Amino acid sequence: MILFEIAVVLAAIYLGARMGSMGIGFAGGLGVLILTAGFGLKPGTIPIDVILIIMSVITAIAAMQVSGGMDYLVSLAEKLLRKHPKQITFLAPVVTYLMTLFAGTGHTAFSTLPVIAEVAKEQGIRPSRPLSIAVVASQVAITASPISAAVVFFSGILEPFGVDYLVLLAVCIPSTFIACMIGAVVANLMGKPLAEDPVYQDRLAKGLIKKRGATEIEIKTNAKRSVVIFLLAIAAVMIYATAISDKVGIIVDPVLPRDSAIMVIMLTAAAMITIFCQLDASEISNAGTFKSGMSACICVLGVAWLGDTLIANHIDEIKAFAGTLLQSQPWLLSITLFFSSMLLYSQGATTKALMPAALAIGVSPLTAVASFAAVSALFVLPTYPTLLAAVEMDDTGSTRIGKAVFNHPFLVPGVITIASSVALAFLFGSLML
């Protein structure tokens, strides 16, 4: 019977991937309906905490975007890239990594991808090189962001095992960043030089390639103020999490648990941006980041609920089958997370669906932490929004998806980045855990 149930889960994920966007969340709900009504399974736990964190963080980011803060950050990124254009393959992932690290969502990469593509093209550098690793870095950085739903949830389930929030970040931030730089080295070697690419030459001859020069961005009056407020909110989250940490113990009996504190601080940041930057609050729901964030909430709701429904009803069988295997071959957890995230399309959903089960069957905290970056394999199937955006923004045709679906420029740098991050996290984790 379990094989039929797994088939339902896979079919729902496939259907959702075909629908795209929020469709994977819709299909997840359909899958839960079939598993419960058709197979008699008890519904799993709805990932309410993950969804609420995403909503609160995205609300603050959207307020910052409406006030012009995102445009200001993009202008800073463009100045950096244009100041060192020859190093764009290495600087582009630094930019997208840092934006995701501080924002808690990879959707911030949308605003920088056009700049990356344009600067690379102007320098005669194959745009697929910086674009590919920039997209990968924006995804991997989720597992290192202090305010991402995946990190907050994962740190919560790790605490009973003696691994707190600060230790998780201390392992994940350096391991993922260094891994992204390793991925950049690989990306810089991928594909023919732009001048030798036949697709580029053909598009150039047809006049399909245009150089737009520096982007003219009008920075709103309160843009910098909104960025400062948002950064102060992140600092407040970090300080509070440190203060309530068992290892620091400044606040022994906190009134607010960490998850609630993040929500409160982010909603307060949105309020402060709205007030001090003189925003019309009704405009925030029209921001691109707000729409993409709410879409992510629906995806997490459906997919994580679907995964938890299957796993929670068969946890004993999973322990019997996978427990001993994962203890003897711990690297298999990263492989499992890699392929799961490829289908689930969300770091938060993958973490919520699989990490509690992994810890429940006896996987060591070190293995779980080291494997965490593997929940970011959203680049494998060429259907993720930021990946598609990178393809669309490169008019040279170098960032293209092959007929075999998997032969696209994001795959190799992405796999190398995640493999490097897992290896480095095992190294750093063994020193801290």
Side-chain angles (χ1 to χ4, degrees):
M1 185 63 72
I2 190 173
L3 294 178
F4 290 105
E5 294 165 4
I6 293 173
V8 169
V9 172
L10 294 176
I13 292 172
Y14 174 77
L15 175 62
R18 290 293 301 271
M19 288 192 286
S21 186
M22 289 188 291
I24 194 166
F26 304 158
L30 174 61
V32 172
L33 177 62
I34 295 172
L35 290 179
T36 53
F39 292 87
L41 300 188
K42 293 181 179 179
T45 302
I46 298 175
I48 294 175
D49 46 357
V50 174
I51 293 170
L52 293 179
I53 290 169
I54 294 174
M55 291 176 65
S56 56
V57 171
I58 286 296
T59 299
I61 294 173
M64 182 176 67
Q65 181 181 18
V66 172
S67 67
M70 289 298 296
D71 289 337
Y72 173 66
L73 291 175
V74 171
S75 69
L76 294 180
E78 181 165 8
K79 288 178 182 178
L80 174 64
L81 296 175
R82 290 192 176 280
K83 187 175 182 181
H84 306 282
K86 295 296 183 181
Q87 304 302 318
I88 190 168
T89 305
F90 299 94
L91 290 177
V94 171
V95 168
T96 56
Y97 181 95
L98 291 177
M99 290 185 72
T100 298
L101 184 78
F102 291 114
T105 171
H107 293 296
T108 54
F110 280 116
S111 55
T112 58
L113 293 178
V115 176
I116 295 169
E118 193 64 26
V119 173
K121 183 170 55 177
E122 290 173 4
Q123 295 298 315
I125 296 171
R126 187 180 181 90
S128 63
R129 294 173 178 174
L131 284 172
S132 62
I133 189 59
V135 168
V136 169
S138 72
Q139 296 177 0
V140 173
I142 288 291
T143 60
S145 171
I147 57 174
S148 75
V151 167
V152 173
F153 172 78
F154 189 37
S155 65
I157 63 173
L158 281 173
E159 285 180 350
F161 296 87
V163 181
D164 66 9
Y165 176 75
L166 296 177
V167 172
L168 177 62
L169 291 177
V171 173
C172 292
I173 291 176
S175 61
T176 53
F177 182 79
I178 295 172
C180 287
M181 293 301 96
I182 294 172
V185 172
V186 174
N188 205 37
L189 302 174
M190 298 293 294
K192 296 180 179 180
L194 185 61
E196 299 176 12
D197 190 311
V199 175
Y200 168 72
Q201 293 296 340
D202 180 64
R203 293 180 64 84
L204 186 64
K206 292 178 179 178
L208 299 176
I209 299 173
K210 298 179 181 179
K211 293 184 179 180
R212 302 172 182 83
T215 306
E216 295 294 332
I217 302 177
E218 182 180 351
I219 306 301
K220 295 182 180 180
T221 305
N222 295 316
K224 294 181 182 179
R225 185 179 300 172
S226 69
V227 173
V228 170
I229 293 173
F230 187 76
L231 292 178
L232 287 174
I234 296 174
V237 169
M238 296 287 291
I239 292 170
Y240 185 78
T242 302
I244 66 174
S245 168
D246 290 337
K247 294 189 176 181
V248 177
I250 296 176
I251 301 176
V252 178
D253 189 17
V255 176
L256 283 173
R258 186 183 58 251
D259 292 11
S260 298
I262 290 175
M263 297 175 204
V264 168
I265 291 170
M266 285 297 145
L267 291 175
T268 300
M272 293 299 99
I273 292 172
T274 301
I275 294 169
F276 293 109
C277 297
Q278 301 176 341
L279 297 184
D280 180 352
S282 64
E283 295 179 3
I284 295 174
S285 61
N286 294 321
T289 49
F290 185 87
K291 293 177 180 178
S292 62
M294 294 308 108
S295 175
C297 287
I298 298 298
C299 292
V300 171
L301 169 61
V303 172
W305 194 9
L306 175 64
D308 193 74
T309 298
L310 178 67
I311 292 172
N313 282 271
H314 297 286
I315 189 65
D316 292 334
E317 294 98 313
I318 293 172
K319 286 181 179 180
F321 176 76
T324 304
L325 182 62
L326 285 176
Q327 288 176 1
S328 61
Q329 304 291 337
W331 56 271
L332 287 176
L333 176 61
S334 61
I335 302 296
T336 302
L337 295 172
F338 182 94
F339 284 104
S340 298
S341 64
M342 180 181 80
L343 297 173
L344 296 180
Y345 267 39
S346 166
Q347 293 94 333
T350 305
T351 304
K352 178 74 176 181
L354 297 179
M355 280 303 197
L359 293 170
I361 63 177
V363 169
S364 70
L366 172 59
T367 298
V369 171
S371 302
F372 186 34
V375 304
S376 298
L378 284 59
F379 55 82
V380 177
L381 295 176
T383 51
Y384 196 73
T386 48
L387 186 154
L388 291 175
V391 174
E392 290 295 324
M393 292 171 186
D394 180 10
D395 62 2
T396 69
S398 72
T399 311
R400 54 183 179 267
I401 300 168
K403 294 181 179 179
V405 180
F406 291 100
N407 56 331
H408 54 75
F410 306 87
L411 184 61
V412 174
V415 172
I416 294 297
T417 298
I418 287 184
S420 300
S421 181
V422 171
L424 288 168
F426 265 112
L427 174 62
F428 297 150
S430 63
L431 302 175
M432 299 182 195
L433 302 182

